[in-house]
Amino acid sequence: MLTAAVSAALVGALVSTPAADAAPALRVTTVADGLSIPWGVVVAPDGTVLTGERAGRFVAVRPGGQRVNVRADLSRIFAQGESGLMGLAIDPRFEQTRRVYSCQAEATVPGAPGVPGSLSNLPIEFPQTGQTIQVVSWRVGADWTQMARERTVLSGIPVNSSGRHGGCGLAATGDSLWVGTGDNATPWIPQSRTSLGGKVLHIKLDGTPAPGNPNPRSPIYSLGHRNVQGVAVQPGTGRVYAIEQGTSRDDELNRIVAGGNYGYKPDRTPIIYDESVPMTDPVRVPGAIGPVWSSGDETIALPGIAFVPETGWGAYNGGVVLTALKGKRLVFLKLSDDSRRVVSQAEALTNAHGRLRGVAVAPDGSLVLTTSDGEGSDRILRVRWNG
């Protein structure tokens, strides 16, 4: 049997990473400051920016710069470790529906205890103490001062008392939602065909499985993932991409296909969550699909992904932009016509604005980012191409 190192090399050989281009010139302005770990971010057709802090608060910034602390019932948020109020998606028909979707960890038992942060990285399966991750739909008031919870669209996405690897990325199309989930740092979850963890899910707006899923009774679209915090649908093609954070290396950009297994299988050692395995293991997971792009020898911790507009972004028109937490940068990738490989890449804002998390495209073509350094130091940033 091939070693893990050789397995990783086989997959790596399939990913031809081009040399980085010169850093593009970007212009950055601050939209809002004084935030604490804002996670997802969306922009409404009128230019209003909405973000959600992990601990449980929605904040909107109107086009004129007015900041609004939006009233919403977030009393059940389970903010522990890497879980809380996480990904956001805006309904493509927002002007008619006033609807926003969130992915959030919630306590199902009052006062559900969590594991202290000092212990949460132990390679063991932590107990479930009464929490779950849910996709929720919200109706936004006309003046953005309040959001009314409409319904739970999807429940049963696992999260345990550590809150580790909760995911949770969202993307909305006209008639469905794509949901990226984390594996809870639990050995058996990524390869399980029954657990919703470590997956990309595809559901209709009413929460039922979307047409085209491998099992028509299940929301599972792909499996074998570690921690998917970002999902995006390529305009014009409908191709779906997800980013997931690597172990000590190999953050991945994956093109998601129905029934695809992306090869993460951290159960080599009994009971232990074994992160020494490759992110994509073609030996222990025959047929595993390798990434379109990988960070290589060192993880930079990717949480955010968006497709930039077709104009106004120079050489990266229509390309992909990724945010990095550990790497504290933006990564721009230009994909081939078949979108299965990267033909050019560039990095920008390296170490300039701290840890970068959420990303969305505004109606004017600019990017809106959230930072993630905590303790009230975080900001919403607007980024424009200035090259």
Side-chain angles (χ1 to χ4, degrees):
M1 178 176 288
L2 298 180
T3 66
V6 173
S7 298
L10 286 173
V11 172
L14 301 176
V15 184
S16 178
T17 302
D21 293 341
L26 303 178
R27 180 159 51 94
V28 181
T29 55
T30 297
V31 175
D33 57 16
L35 302 171
S36 290
I37 312 189
W39 198 287
V41 63
V42 293
V43 188
D46 70 354
T48 298
V49 177
L50 176 72
T51 190
E53 293 177 314
R54 183 178 62 185
R57 181 174 66 152
F58 288 119
V59 177
V61 182
R62 303 304 306 277
Q66 177 191 5
R67 174 170 161 170
V68 182
N69 292 330
V70 185
R71 298 191 305 275
D73 182 5
L74 293 165
S75 59
R76 287 176 283 178
I77 290 292
F78 179 76
Q80 182 71 31
E82 297 170 317
S83 298
L85 179 57
M86 297 175 285
L88 298 178
I90 191 164
D91 191 314
R93 298 181 296 267
F94 179 82
E95 290 175 302
Q96 290 76 46
T97 67
R98 303 291 299 180
R99 185 168 289 129
V100 169
Y101 300 93
S102 67
C103 200
Q104 55 196 67
E106 295 192 340
T108 59
V109 174
V115 171
S118 59
L119 301 177
S120 63
N121 285 331
L122 290 176
I124 59 175
E125 181 176 351
F126 287 97
Q128 226 286 344
T129 56
Q131 53 273 327
T132 187
I133 290 175
Q134 310 199 104
V135 177
V136 176
S137 69
W138 301 85
R139 186 67 61 87
V140 181
D143 62 358
W144 289 89
T145 61
Q146 61 182 348
M147 292 169 59
R149 181 170 179 153
E150 292 185 305
R151 62 189 297 265
T152 298
V153 179
L154 180 68
S155 190
I157 302 170
V159 62
N160 61 38
S161 52
S162 73
R164 190 176 177 205
H165 294 184
C168 184
L170 281 181
T173 65
D175 56 3
S176 67
L177 290 169
W178 296 89
V179 188
T181 68
D183 70 357
N184 291 199
T186 300
W188 58 272
I189 281 184
Q191 293 297 321
S192 169
R193 295 182 182 274
T194 56
S195 173
L196 300 186
K199 309 294 186 296
V200 173
L201 312 175
H202 191 204
I203 57 175
K204 295 192 293 186
L205 298 181
D206 63 4
T208 59
N213 284 4
N215 178 348
R217 296 179 299 278
S218 171
I220 294 174
Y221 193 80
S222 67
L223 72 160
H225 300 287
R226 181 175 181 267
N227 193 25
V228 180
Q229 291 191 352
V231 183
V233 179
Q234 186 178 40
T237 70
R239 295 166 180 162
V240 180
Y241 291 80
I243 49 172
E244 57 185 293
Q245 298 184 359
T247 50
S248 60
R249 56 170 295 145
D250 289 329
D251 297 304
E252 293 182 347
L253 170 68
N254 288 302
R255 181 177 170 186
I256 305 301
V257 297
N261 191 325
Y262 291 81
Y264 187 56
K265 196 175 189 295
D267 63 352
R268 184 167 52 191
T269 304
I271 303 174
I272 300 299
Y273 182 65
D274 183 2
E275 293 188 276
S276 68
V277 302
M279 280 291 289
T280 305
D281 190 340
V283 174
R284 296 177 61 244
V285 185
I289 299 172
V292 174
W293 176 89
S294 171
S295 65
D297 292 339
E298 184 177 0
T299 179
I300 57 175
L302 302 173
I305 177 174
F307 281 90
V308 300
E310 291 289 344
T311 59
W313 286 87
Y316 289 89
N317 286 337
V320 178
V321 62
L322 311 176
T323 60
L325 291 167
K326 179 182 175 183
K328 300 180 180 179
R329 70 193 72 165
L330 292 179
V331 179
F332 289 91
L333 303 174
K334 189 72 173 180
L335 302 180
S336 59
D337 290 341
D338 65 5
S339 298
R340 295 185 182 277
R341 61 188 179 87
V342 171
V343 297
S344 63
Q345 71 177 65
E347 297 179 350
L349 307 186
T350 303
N351 295 322
H353 299 280
R355 291 158 53 89
L356 302 179
R357 186 181 289 279
V359 58
V361 178
D364 67 359
S366 63
L367 297 179
V368 176
L369 312 177
T370 60
T371 71
S372 191
D373 293 302
E375 298 183 354
S377 65
D378 289 317
R379 295 173 291 158
I380 301 171
L381 304 175
R382 189 178 302 276
V383 179
R384 291 182 169 88
W385 186 270
N386 200 34

